[in-house]
């Protein structure tokens, strides 16, 4: 008797760079970039809140030459780059009020993190972090989140080059994908809610659906049953921080794997690499991606746990969801040996070059997902050969 195929539909969401929460993520990461450029050892925990005609920064920053950083100028430049440039819309780079309540890092935290050697550097907080990879797409990411991110990136290009002139910065997209036996088979539903100028809804729906179809056609997953919902409420003119307030770190599922796999709960943006919420999550993605790329499993999730101020991780867990070509216990043993991957905070920061970004910036991570895009060091698959050798694979 042949095995019956398992079928399920999975949906993931993305939000654009003009979404209020993403405005805040970009501001927090732009300030982090400015600090690291002056002081690679800077400690930054920068939070941003945005609302109608208002941006507020709060948090803790310890940075050499901090007096050379101009947070307000950075904030206004980010907002201008995003495209909020019309005061009548209630939020514009040149008219919003700015408030800063940034101050130095707690000495209680610093004494646990600031060690004499890289090997001894303690974790900046307790908690658990996860990394995930799957061979369902060429990015080794889940298909729904890849397509949702890509769709909004495409709309951003159409907005900024003027091809669809009435588009404004704020938008969301959902993509639902039918899977059979774990493989993407069809896109069942696409939802796009995009801020616009006051334009007839029929025109918006016709042109945005055509653009979405044009982009998603390359996936080969559109069918005659694929349903599109474009601005389903009928009007989306008031948007951005004027339509809904924004906060740093409120889109952790958008930032990671679109709901596939697990999440430790810690946000990424505005945090320097000593905060393992960010750096260890990046490293876990690096490890999981190399395991899948090496053929040790078709899917892989890594969990790591830390205690604040302690360098050695408390636990490392590997799950391959039954897709492993090597026993999970063997993969865990390889990781615990610390010869291919070193999960101590100071070492993983050094391995990925997280305090001195080269060819990338933290602000670039804050839009359209922290994972699955080339150019970031945690997306390299440079440990494949070592993993295959340690696993006894030819």
């Amino acid at each position: 008797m042949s095995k019956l195929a398992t079928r399920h539909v999975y949906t993931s969401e993305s939000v654009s760079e003009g979404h209020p929460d993403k405005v805040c993520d970009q501001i927090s990461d732009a300030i982090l970039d400015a600090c690291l450029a002056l002081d690679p050892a800077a400690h930054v925990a920068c939070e941003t809140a945005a609302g109608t005609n208002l941006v507020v920064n709060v948090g803790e920053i310890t940075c050499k030459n901090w007096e050379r950083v101009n947070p307000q100028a950075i904030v206004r430049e980010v907002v201008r780059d995003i495209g909020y440039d019309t005061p009548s819309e209630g939020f514009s780079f040149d008219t919003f009020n700015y408030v800063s309540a940034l101050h130095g890092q707690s000495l209680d935290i610093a004494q646990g993190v600031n060690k004499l050697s890289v090997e001894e550097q303690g974790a900046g907080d307790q908690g658990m972090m996860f990394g995930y990879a799957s061979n369902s797409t060429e990015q080794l990411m889940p298909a729904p989140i890849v397509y949702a991110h890509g769709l909004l990136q495409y709309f951003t290009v159409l907005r900024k080059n003027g091809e669809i002139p009435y588009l404004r910065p704020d938008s969301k997209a959902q993509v639902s994908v039918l899977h059979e036996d774990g493989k993407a088979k069809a896109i069942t539903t696409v939802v796009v809610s995009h801020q616009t100028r006051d334009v007839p809804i029929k025109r918006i729906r016709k042109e945005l659906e055509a653009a979405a179809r044009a982009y998603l056609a390359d996936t080969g997953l559109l069918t005659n049953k694929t349903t599109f919902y474009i601005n389903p409420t009928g009007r989306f003119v008031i948007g951005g921080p004027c339509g809904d307030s924004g906060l740093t770190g409120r889109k952790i599922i958008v930032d990671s794997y679109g709901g596939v796999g697990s999440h430790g709960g810690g946000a990424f943006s505005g945090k320097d690499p000593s905060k393992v919420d960010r750096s260890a999550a990046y490293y876990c993605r690096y490890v999981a991606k190399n395991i899948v790329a090496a053929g040790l499993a078709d899917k892989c999730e890594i969990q790591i746990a830390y205690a604040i101020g302690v360098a050695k991780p408390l636990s490392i867990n590997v799950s391959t969801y039954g897709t492993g070509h090597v026993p999970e216990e063997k993969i865990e043993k390889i990781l615990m040996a610390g010869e291919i991957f070193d999960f101590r905070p100071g070492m993983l920061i050094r391995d990925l070059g997280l305090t001195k970004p080269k060819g990338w910036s933290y602000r670039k991570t804050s839009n359209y997902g922290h994972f699955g895009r080339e150019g970031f060091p945690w997306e390299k698959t440079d440990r494949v050969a070592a993993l295959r050798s340690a696993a006894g694979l030819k």
Side-chain angles (χ1 to χ4, degrees):
M1 181 181 293
S2 62
K3 180 183 177 182
L4 293 176
T6 59
R7 293 163 57 91
H8 72 279
V9 176
Y10 201 90
T11 301
S12 293
E13 178 194 48
S14 180
V15 299
S16 71
E17 64 187 56
H19 185 280
D21 295 331
K22 279 294 152 198
V23 171
C24 294
D25 285 345
Q26 289 169 88
I27 289 170
S28 294
D29 273 341
I31 292 174
L32 169 62
D33 285 329
C35 291
L36 291 178
L38 292 171
D39 179 11
H43 290 301
V44 179
C46 179
E47 312 294 341
T48 304
T52 302
N53 203 36
L54 177 67
V55 174
V56 179
N57 279 134
V58 297
E60 303 79 48
I61 295 179
T62 300
C63 173
K64 294 177 182 177
N65 300 312
W66 168 248
E67 68 279 0
R68 292 168 56 188
V69 178
N70 185 339
Q72 180 172 180
I74 293 170
V75 172
R76 294 192 186 278
E77 180 182 0
V78 169
V79 174
R80 181 184 60 193
D81 288 348
I82 292 169
Y84 285 113
D85 54 8
T86 307
S88 62
E89 292 179 345
F91 187 75
S92 179
F93 77 94
D94 53 350
T95 59
F96 65 73
N97 298 309
Y98 177 72
V99 178
S100 175
L102 297 167
H103 58 83
Q105 184 189 38
S106 163
L107 295 177
D108 293 347
I109 295 175
Q111 71 178 0
V113 177
N114 297 336
K115 301 292 186 179
L116 294 178
S117 69
V118 172
E119 293 82 1
E120 295 176 342
Q121 179 178 327
D125 202 352
Q126 70 180 49
M128 65 282 188
M129 299 85 212
F130 293 87
Y132 179 87
S134 165
N135 64 6
S136 61
T137 63
E138 64 179 19
Q139 297 89 347
L140 301 188
M141 289 283 289
I145 192 65
V146 169
Y147 302 146
H149 284 323
L151 183 58
L152 285 189
Q153 284 180 287
Y154 181 62
F155 276 119
T156 297
V157 171
L158 297 180
R159 171 174 64 87
K160 289 189 170 182
N161 70 14
E163 190 168 336
I164 302 182
Y166 53 78
L167 293 181
R168 299 302 291 142
D170 191 1
S171 61
K172 292 183 174 184
Q174 284 181 191
V175 178
S176 302
V177 179
L178 171 67
H179 294 75
E180 290 186 0
D181 292 332
K183 302 297 182 181
K185 292 297 182 180
I187 294 174
T188 61
T189 312
V190 177
V191 182
V192 176
S193 293
H194 209 303
Q195 182 190 15
T196 68
R197 300 197 189 277
D198 196 0
V199 173
I201 187 62
K202 287 185 178 180
R203 177 184 175 188
I204 292 168
R205 286 175 173 165
K206 178 181 179 181
E207 294 180 354
L208 267 58
E209 179 174 335
R213 286 184 177 277
Y215 173 77
L216 293 170
D218 288 342
T219 67
L221 299 178
L222 293 181
T223 74
N224 58 8
K225 295 183 179 180
T226 304
T227 303
F228 286 78
Y229 295 96
I230 308 296
N231 284 17
T233 67
R235 181 179 170 85
F236 186 7
V237 174
I238 300 172
C242 182
D244 186 13
S245 59
L247 291 170
T248 299
R250 204 158 55 174
K251 286 291 175 283
I252 58 176
I253 300 304
V254 171
D255 285 344
S256 52
Y257 306 99
V260 176
S262 306
H263 197 295
F268 301 148
S269 290
K271 298 178 180 178
D272 75 83
S274 72
K275 280 73 173 174
V276 285
D277 276 347
R278 182 172 213 165
S279 56
Y282 288 175
Y283 203 69
C284 286
R285 161 64 178 172
Y286 178 51
V287 175
K289 185 175 182 181
N290 273 269
I291 287 171
V292 172
L296 275 61
D298 297 336
K299 297 179 183 178
C300 182
E301 180 178 88
I302 305 294
Q303 186 211 50
I304 189 81
Y306 294 95
I308 188 170
V310 178
K312 186 177 179 180
L314 307 181
S315 65
I316 300 174
N317 182 70
V318 177
S319 176
T320 61
Y321 301 92
T323 70
H325 304 291
V326 172
E328 290 176 355
E329 295 80 3
K330 187 169 187 177
I331 299 175
E332 284 184 12
K333 185 176 180 180
I334 292 170
L335 299 185
M336 292 294 290
E339 296 176 359
I340 300 176
F341 299 103
D342 193 329
F343 286 88
R344 288 177 293 175
M347 300 304 289
L348 68 84
I349 289 169
R350 186 185 69 179
D351 282 355
L352 296 181
L354 297 181
T355 59
K356 298 178 181 179
K358 294 182 180 179
W360 61 280
S361 68
Y362 283 101
R363 182 183 167 189
K364 288 182 180 179
T365 70
S366 61
N367 289 319
Y368 311 115
H370 292 245
F371 309 120
R373 294 188 291 146
E374 294 303 319
F376 300 131
W378 48 92
E379 294 296 324
K380 298 183 297 184
T381 52
D382 56 351
R383 307 293 173 93
V384 165
L387 281 169
R388 290 185 65 81
S389 176
L393 300 178
K394 295 182 179 179

